[in-house]
Amino acid sequence: MTRIKIVKQKAILDVAESLGYSFRRLSGHIYEHPDHDSFRIFADTNTFKWFSRDIQGDVIDFVQLVAGVTFKEAVSYLETGDFEQATVIEETYQPFQYYLHEEPFQQARIYLKDIRGLSDQTINTFGRQGLLAQATYQAESVLVFKSYDHNGVLQAASLQGLVKNEEKHDRGYLKKIMKGSKGHVGISFDIGNPKRLIFCESVIDMMSYYQLHQKQLSDVRLVSMEGLKLSVIAYQTLRLAAEEQGKLAFLDTVKPSRLSHYLQAIQETTTFFQTHSNVLTLAVDNDEAGREFCQKLSDKGLPITKDLPPLQGLETKSDWNDIVKQQKEISLSNLIQSAQIQAIKNHPPPKRERAMEL
């Protein structure tokens, strides 16, 4: 047996524990990271997957990811067997680098309108807050969703391809989070003076939710988690509390890895959630993962309000963009029907004359 095959047989749960990570058992052979709901270990296959970041692999990949080391260093680490003495390398902060060349927003607008069913008013509203751009990424035109922190500094960017290419991309369109993005910040959109938070899974869903509910929305911050991330909920909750107290500088001292601990501290040692009973609304997808995420936050004692999109017919999954597209189809169908009725009124068919047979 080769050296690599030997180290790959190390139990990934034991390795995780030795590195200071205590994964919670969900069911069967599935375990969950304490701070990242979409980061899971599958003990039966000795693998892991971080769904929201689309990262997966074996025990060597796991050590590389959580310890921030090279492949060679990860193998050497596993070979020692002395996990108690191993030192985890802390991730050093690197500022996010946005290097894309931006271009006119024409193709992105067509995609948002024709493919996603969003209105010009919605697109313009989000564009005015600097959240949208069109750019070129690896010779491909992409729609850019920008993420700004509490200081207004660009911290992350998500990319959505504008041209469908099923041969090149598994999901038809390019979908990517730019390297170095700070995933805990989320992509936020303010309406008035925010006093509560509404969380969606993607920016498209966030824009769709706004388009459907804009008349009922006031003094609220819409947030795209770009997945299902407790860290984003923690960060945005801390941000809202810090804004109310005029202590935003406090957030500069918070390490992303400690966000869930601060959220727990707010819950256990302050009256914030008692005085802000409707502060957290989860407008996530109505599917198994979304409902499970809501349940987990409820189990943690967080006062969440669920606002899930209705399921359509026999479908088992629905998101807010599905509802927007369905309404657009109904509106188009009604428009066509009205046009047909009007055409008949303006140009009625000729009356048929009956001849009596003698």
Side-chain angles (χ1 to χ4, degrees):
M1 188 177 291
T2 65
R3 174 189 177 196
I4 302 301
K5 286 184 178 180
I6 291 173
V7 297
K8 282 187 176 182
Q9 290 185 342
K10 293 278 186 180
I12 192 168
L13 279 173
D14 293 339
V15 173
E17 186 174 352
S18 69
L19 289 169
Y21 295 90
S22 179
F23 279 67
R24 296 186 292 259
R25 184 176 180 179
L26 283 181
S27 62
H29 300 284
I30 304 175
Y31 294 77
E32 180 187 83
H33 191 287
D35 299 325
H36 304 285
D37 292 318
S38 66
F39 191 168
R40 296 181 178 179
I41 280 178
F42 303 90
D44 55 338
T45 57
N46 212 39
T47 58
F48 77 94
K49 183 166 184 177
W50 198 337
F51 289 90
S52 63
R53 297 191 182 183
D54 198 21
I55 302 173
Q56 56 197 328
D58 56 28
V59 66
I60 299 176
D61 300 313
F62 180 83
V63 175
Q64 285 184 264
L65 175 66
V66 301
V69 297
T70 64
F71 178 85
K72 184 178 179 181
E73 290 169 326
V75 171
S76 176
Y77 179 86
L78 290 168
E79 281 181 324
T80 65
D82 187 10
F83 296 114
E84 298 298 328
Q85 301 300 317
T87 303
V88 180
I89 299 175
E90 287 288 337
E91 182 180 359
T92 56
Y93 177 80
Q94 295 292 335
F96 172 65
Q97 299 292 330
Y98 182 74
Y99 55 83
L100 299 182
H101 172 69
E102 295 190 356
E103 52 195 34
F105 198 72
Q106 298 168 344
Q107 193 175 359
R109 183 179 292 275
I110 292 171
Y111 170 83
L112 289 172
K113 290 178 65 177
D114 295 351
I115 306 299
R116 295 298 191 165
L118 297 169
S119 68
D120 277 317
Q121 188 269 338
T122 297
I123 297 167
N124 294 341
T125 301
F126 278 76
R128 281 193 291 269
Q129 288 202 16
L131 303 182
L132 309 177
Q134 182 176 322
T136 301
Y137 175 79
Q138 295 183 353
E140 188 168 344
S141 290
V142 295
L143 172 59
V144 184
F145 302 114
K146 298 182 179 181
S147 167
Y148 299 90
D149 66 7
H150 55 283
N151 292 316
V153 177
L154 184 62
Q155 294 287 11
S158 296
L159 310 181
Q160 165 68 58
L162 297 175
V163 179
K164 196 170 187 178
N165 188 335
E166 294 185 352
E167 293 183 1
K168 188 175 180 181
H169 307 298
D170 293 337
R171 291 177 284 183
Y173 291 90
L174 179 146
K175 292 181 184 294
K176 184 177 180 64
I177 296 176
M178 284 188 68
K179 184 178 180 180
S181 291
K182 306 300 182 276
H184 66 279
V185 175
I187 300 175
S188 59
F189 170 78
D190 287 1
I191 301 172
N193 181 25
K195 294 180 175 62
R196 60 191 187 97
L197 305 167
I198 300 176
F199 295 93
C200 299
E201 289 193 34
S202 71
V203 179
I204 295 291
D205 283 333
M206 180 169 70
M207 295 174 73
S208 300
Y209 187 89
Y210 168 82
Q211 184 164 305
L212 293 165
H213 301 87
Q214 55 186 298
K215 292 181 179 179
Q216 295 84 41
L217 297 174
S218 62
D219 292 337
V220 65
R221 175 170 291 144
L222 300 181
V223 182
S224 167
M225 297 180 283
E226 298 301 276
L228 296 167
K229 300 176 185 174
L230 178 60
S231 59
V232 175
I233 292 176
Y235 170 80
Q236 291 293 345
T237 303
L238 284 173
R239 176 184 175 183
L240 192 66
E243 285 172 344
E244 286 189 0
Q245 298 175 17
K247 298 179 179 179
L248 274 177
F250 161 74
L251 286 173
D252 297 328
T253 67
V254 177
K255 291 183 178 180
S257 60
R258 300 288 298 171
L259 280 168
S260 62
H261 298 285
Y262 279 101
L263 183 62
Q264 186 176 358
I266 287 178
Q267 185 179 354
E268 295 177 353
T269 63
T270 74
T271 60
F272 180 78
F273 287 121
Q274 283 74 33
T275 56
H276 300 72
S277 57
N278 65 337
V279 69
L280 303 177
T281 296
L282 294 186
V284 297
D285 294 357
N286 192 349
D287 58 10
E288 185 177 353
R291 293 188 293 268
E292 183 180 307
F293 184 70
C294 293
Q295 186 60 50
K296 286 177 186 176
L297 295 192
S298 293
D299 292 343
K300 292 177 184 291
L302 292 172
I304 66 164
T305 300
K306 290 191 294 185
D307 191 359
L308 307 186
L311 294 174
Q312 307 299 309
L314 299 177
E315 295 292 330
T316 59
K317 178 188 182 301
S318 178
D319 61 42
W320 287 109
N321 190 237
D322 291 335
I323 308 302
V324 163
K325 289 187 289 188
Q326 184 194 41
Q327 287 195 357
K328 184 178 181 181
E329 290 174 3
I330 293 173
S331 298
L332 181 60
S333 176
N334 290 340
L335 182 64
I336 293 172
Q337 188 176 15
S338 297
Q340 289 173 338
I341 293 172
Q342 190 62 42
I344 292 171
K345 287 181 178 179
N346 294 338
H347 304 283
K351 294 182 180 180
R352 294 181 180 180
E353 294 183 0
R354 294 184 178 181
M356 183 179 293
E357 294 184 3
L358 296 177

